[in-house]
Amino acid sequence: CLLLSAGLNSVLTLLFDRTYTFFSMNWLDGLLLGGLVMRRVFYAVRLFLGLVSAVSDTVLVVALSRKYGKRLATYAVAMLCLTSGCFFASTSFLPSSFSMYAISLSSGLLLFEKYAMAVAVSVVGVILGWPFSILAFLPVVIYSLVKRFKQAFISGAVTSIFILGLSILVDYYYYERWTSSVLNLLIYNVLGGGESHLYGTEGPLFYIRNGFNNFNFCFILAILFVAIYPVIKRKHDRDLLVVISPMYIWLAFMSLQPHKEERFLYPIYPLICVSASAVIENIPELFREKYSSRESLLVTITKYLRPVILGIILCASHSRTFALINGYSAPLEVYKLLDHQDDAGPGSVLCVGSEWHRYPSSFFVPDYISEVRWIDDGFRGLLPFPFNSTLGGTAASPPYFNNKNQASEEQYLKNIETCTFLVELQLSRPYVYRGSDLSTWEAIAVLPYLDRELSPAKYRSFFIPHMWQDKNVFGKYVVLRRVPK
């Protein structure tokens, strides 16, 4: 069922650098949900992923509570539940989200002094999740080996052999050849196999800006952890530093990569919350005299400021979440309206141009639409193709794929006249849209979509009632239907 959710082949099949084990882990979930309407399966899977995230975060929070006290744990759970970044990352069906679950779980197990289990979870997060996240797991693994070398090493070795063997067997079933997807992924990316710049590049400060958008002042406080660590270590042992250190390692490593995406930062999202919580809890310690037992007025004031700071962070987080939902939810909502156009008849074709990257999956396409096709709007990267079982199923290496991520001539629909429906984002730009031709197309659904280029950053990033609507500029996210001749 989850394999069907992709509904598309990609270049990754050709390169054999994605393991099907990650999908196959959810086979039971798919069987249980198989009787549901497709769109309900989409949301049910997300609910299931949210549950997995909640369980892993619970282990981390309970460990923090038992080791460092209820106050730090309370701050952490509030941020894990309510910050905008965690809200969206926790239910995303992505390898980076799976690594995030593993980071939370392994960090909690380390604080429980379950070092062998922490290493085992780290191995699972790397092999079945995202191999590059090994950098984020290194501090936990190394520290566990230092503490309990024999148990941790055996646990890591046995888990690695088992998971790698399982991955190879599952991939053999789908690819019909012996291959290690994990090894292929590392070789392909380390040796520069693909031109990822085709999908966009960003400057070194991208993740700093992105981190503030998703965590606001929580992100700033999290970064300050290392600066005030001499004060924090008066109350907390070095285990907390080990748990939080992957945040700095991962942030530095990912900032050096030219191609950046928000999802790449998902693995360290829980650590951002823990780091900020530790800083907030220890703010009074900054003003406490080291050798004095008396509590100054400033220390008392800062104690009462802690819940105020947390409240500001959570309010700003809600504001960010509302801004995203109200400004960018059109791609999910507009496809639902296709359900009411079934009079178009079976065999209808849905065409998508520059909005290919916001296509929400085939779960949102009704049965009467036979295929979804891309229109050439100038993008020169490789796009997914409809799954073609006649070429050999999952074991095929379709000739229209390449290992450079470069566009294939076959990925675009040549004859646009065959399009029954067209999805388009219309912004205030000095060029003509296909949907502007009213003799050819009629709009059947129009929803507002925030125009980020024409909207001021301070108003578009956070939802402020009245000001958000008045200060921002909105385009139209439309579904068009071909006018019968």
Side-chain angles (χ1 to χ4, degrees):
C1 181
L2 290 176
L3 286 173
L4 185 61
S5 71
L8 299 164
N9 263 340
S10 74
V11 69
L12 301 175
T13 305
L14 170 65
L15 300 172
F16 310 110
D17 69 351
R18 283 292 189 272
T19 176
Y20 275 97
T21 315
F22 176 67
F23 297 96
S24 300
M25 287 187 302
N26 297 274
W27 67 272
L28 180 59
D29 186 37
L31 288 177
L32 294 174
L33 301 174
L36 297 179
V37 177
M38 295 298 286
R39 195 180 304 142
R40 292 180 180 177
V41 175
F42 176 87
Y43 289 115
V45 169
R46 284 182 170 262
L47 286 171
F48 171 76
L49 295 173
L51 177 62
V52 174
S53 177
V55 170
S56 61
D57 287 345
T58 298
V59 174
L60 176 58
V61 169
V62 172
L64 289 170
S65 178
R66 293 186 180 180
K67 195 171 182 68
Y68 302 119
K70 293 183 178 180
R71 181 180 289 110
L72 191 154
T74 300
Y75 294 162
V77 74
M79 295 183 194
L80 285 166
C81 291
L82 300 175
T83 50
S84 184
C86 291
F87 178 79
F88 290 101
S90 61
T91 58
S92 297
F93 188 46
L94 293 168
S96 52
S97 286
F98 186 82
S99 293
M100 181 184 73
Y101 309 151
I103 285 280
S104 289
L105 188 55
S106 63
S107 298
L109 291 171
L110 181 139
L111 295 178
F112 276 128
E113 298 184 1
K114 306 290 185 180
Y115 301 113
M117 293 177 64
V119 172
V121 170
S122 299
V123 169
V124 173
V126 170
I127 297 177
L128 292 188
W130 196 15
F132 291 106
S133 65
I134 188 173
L135 287 174
F137 288 100
L138 274 180
V140 168
V141 171
I142 293 174
Y143 190 71
S144 298
L145 289 170
V146 170
K147 284 290 189 177
R148 298 285 190 278
F149 179 81
K150 183 177 179 180
Q151 297 93 323
F153 180 81
I154 293 175
S155 174
V158 171
T159 306
S160 297
I161 294 171
F162 175 77
I163 297 298
L164 280 172
L166 178 64
S167 173
I168 292 172
L169 288 174
V170 171
D171 288 340
Y172 177 77
Y173 175 80
Y174 287 103
Y175 291 132
E176 296 182 3
R177 68 193 67 189
W178 293 109
T179 184
S180 173
S181 299
V182 177
L183 181 61
N184 293 342
L185 175 67
L186 292 173
I187 292 175
Y188 176 74
N189 285 277
V190 171
L191 298 181
E195 298 181 16
S196 59
H197 67 274
L198 292 170
Y199 299 90
T201 58
E202 297 289 345
L205 297 180
F206 172 81
Y207 288 123
I208 301 298
R209 297 193 301 270
N210 187 262
F212 183 80
N213 280 338
N214 286 321
F215 291 93
N216 57 82
F217 300 105
C218 170
F219 186 73
I220 296 175
L221 293 173
I223 297 299
L224 291 175
F225 176 89
V226 71
I228 68 168
Y229 181 70
V231 174
I232 294 175
K233 71 179 182 180
R234 297 176 191 171
K235 294 176 59 178
H236 307 310
D237 59 24
R238 62 183 178 183
D239 289 9
L240 185 61
L241 178 63
V242 173
V243 166
I244 292 174
S245 60
M247 179 186 70
Y248 295 100
I249 297 172
W250 191 248
L251 187 60
F253 172 74
M254 296 310 298
S255 294
L256 294 174
Q257 309 308 310
H259 175 60
K260 298 178 177 65
E261 296 183 35
E262 180 179 313
R263 64 188 174 93
F264 292 168
L265 223 58
Y266 283 4
I268 63 169
Y269 274 8
L271 308 185
I272 293 173
C273 298
V274 174
S275 179
S277 300
V279 171
I280 293 174
E281 188 204 17
N282 285 277
I283 287 177
E285 302 301 319
L286 294 171
F287 304 97
R288 193 186 302 275
E289 296 181 15
K290 189 174 182 179
Y291 301 104
S292 174
S293 59
R294 296 179 59 186
E295 191 171 276
S296 66
L297 177 61
L298 194 55
V299 171
T300 303
I301 293 174
T302 51
K303 282 186 175 181
Y304 288 102
L305 277 178
R306 290 182 299 195
V308 175
I309 295 172
L310 180 64
I312 292 173
I313 290 172
L314 298 185
C315 285
S317 295
H318 281 302
S319 179
R320 173 64 176 173
T321 301
F322 290 151
L324 291 174
I325 291 174
N326 285 278
Y328 303 105
S329 62
L332 277 178
E333 298 300 323
V334 79
Y335 281 89
K336 296 178 183 178
L337 302 177
L338 286 170
D339 292 343
H340 308 294
Q341 301 295 320
D342 53 356
D343 60 322
S348 298
V349 178
L350 174 63
C351 295
V352 183
S354 59
E355 287 302 292
W356 63 267
H357 57 292
R358 296 191 183 100
Y359 173 64
S361 86
S362 56
F363 278 128
F364 287 78
V365 178
D367 292 336
Y368 69 86
I369 293 179
S370 62
E371 58 180 342
V372 178
R373 296 301 304 269
W374 313 124
I375 299 175
D376 189 354
D377 272 344
F379 179 65
R380 298 272 59 91
L382 184 62
L383 294 178
F385 280 75
F387 184 77
N388 190 340
S389 59
T390 63
L391 296 177
T394 56
S397 299
Y400 40 72
F401 286 147
N402 63 82
N403 62 357
K404 296 296 182 182
N405 289 330
Q406 294 174 349
S408 169
E409 290 300 322
E410 298 179 47
Q411 72 187 24
Y412 295 116
L413 181 66
K414 303 299 182 183
N415 183 14
I416 302 179
E417 297 295 322
T418 61
C419 296
T420 312
F421 298 96
L422 172 66
V423 175
E424 196 170 61
L425 174 60
Q426 299 178 356
L427 303 173
S428 299
R429 300 292 187 273
Y431 47 80
V432 179
Y433 293 93
R434 290 187 178 90
S436 302
D437 184 2
L438 299 181
S439 64
T440 304
W441 301 101
E442 61 177 344
I444 60 173
V446 182
L447 292 177
Y449 191 86
L450 196 146
D451 188 337
R452 66 175 303 276
E453 292 184 15
L454 298 183
S455 301
K458 61 181 179 181
Y459 293 115
R460 72 168 184 261
S461 298
F462 298 93
F463 185 89
I464 304 173
H466 304 298
M467 294 182 66
W468 191 81
Q469 291 92 338
D470 295 339
K471 299 292 185 179
N472 290 317
V473 177
F474 295 85
K476 295 185 295 184
Y477 211 93
V478 299
V479 175
L480 301 145
R481 179 172 175 171
R482 184 174 294 279
V483 176
K485 294 182 180 179

